[in-house]
Amino acid sequence: QLQASGGGLVQAGGSLRLSCVVSGGIFINYDMGWFRQAPGKEREFAAAISWDGGRTSYADSVKGRFTISRDNAKNTVYLQMNSLKPEDTAVYYCAASITGPSSSPTRYTYWGQGTLVTVSS
């Protein structure tokens, strides 16, 4: 199971840190990703990290503002979001992959329930 938390309402320019705790599996077996879905839009990739944290990747829209990290001792992956913009408003989902960190949602087997981030202008 994946349990995401940390969403909320923030003003533009502010910061939030999302967390996703993984239970019921061996965390280090998973590469992890964060995706987001805005109202009326398709789910899109935000960031991904390899099982050991050695490789990360970001969507161009969040590069330089968001940072993905993980703590394997706590079975947790994080998404630090800085300089938030109204267009970052979305439900954010964490996901686990056993086939490598990827920007494609089809490569992810397990998904959390999502946490809502709302950025006001």
Side-chain angles (χ1 to χ4, degrees), residues 9-75:
L9 174 63
V10 63
Q11 288 187 333
S15 298
L16 281 175
R17 188 175 81 156
L18 306 183
S19 300
C20 175
V21 179
V22 178
S23 61
I26 303 175
F27 187 59
I28 60 170
N29 285 351
Y30 301 127
D31 303 293
M32 300 297 297
W34 285 98
F35 291 78
R36 64 186 186 181
Q37 188 166 17
K41 295 187 177 181
E42 293 187 354
R43 191 169 299 189
E44 66 175 12
F45 170 72
I49 189 167
S50 60
W51 69 271
D52 62 350
R55 289 177 291 157
T56 58
S57 61
Y58 298 92
D60 287 343
S61 58
V62 307
K63 198 171 296 183
R65 300 187 297 120
F66 290 11
T67 302
I68 188 170
S69 62
R70 64 191 292 160
D71 185 337
N72 286 346
K74 296 182 178 180
N75 289 2

Side-chain angles (χ1 to χ4, degrees), residues 87-109:
E87 51 263 44
D88 294 319
T89 295
V91 177
Y92 284 71
Y93 299 89
C94 59
S97 170
I98 58 175
T99 60
S102 172
S103 61
S104 172
T106 62
R107 298 288 296 273
Y108 291 81
T109 304

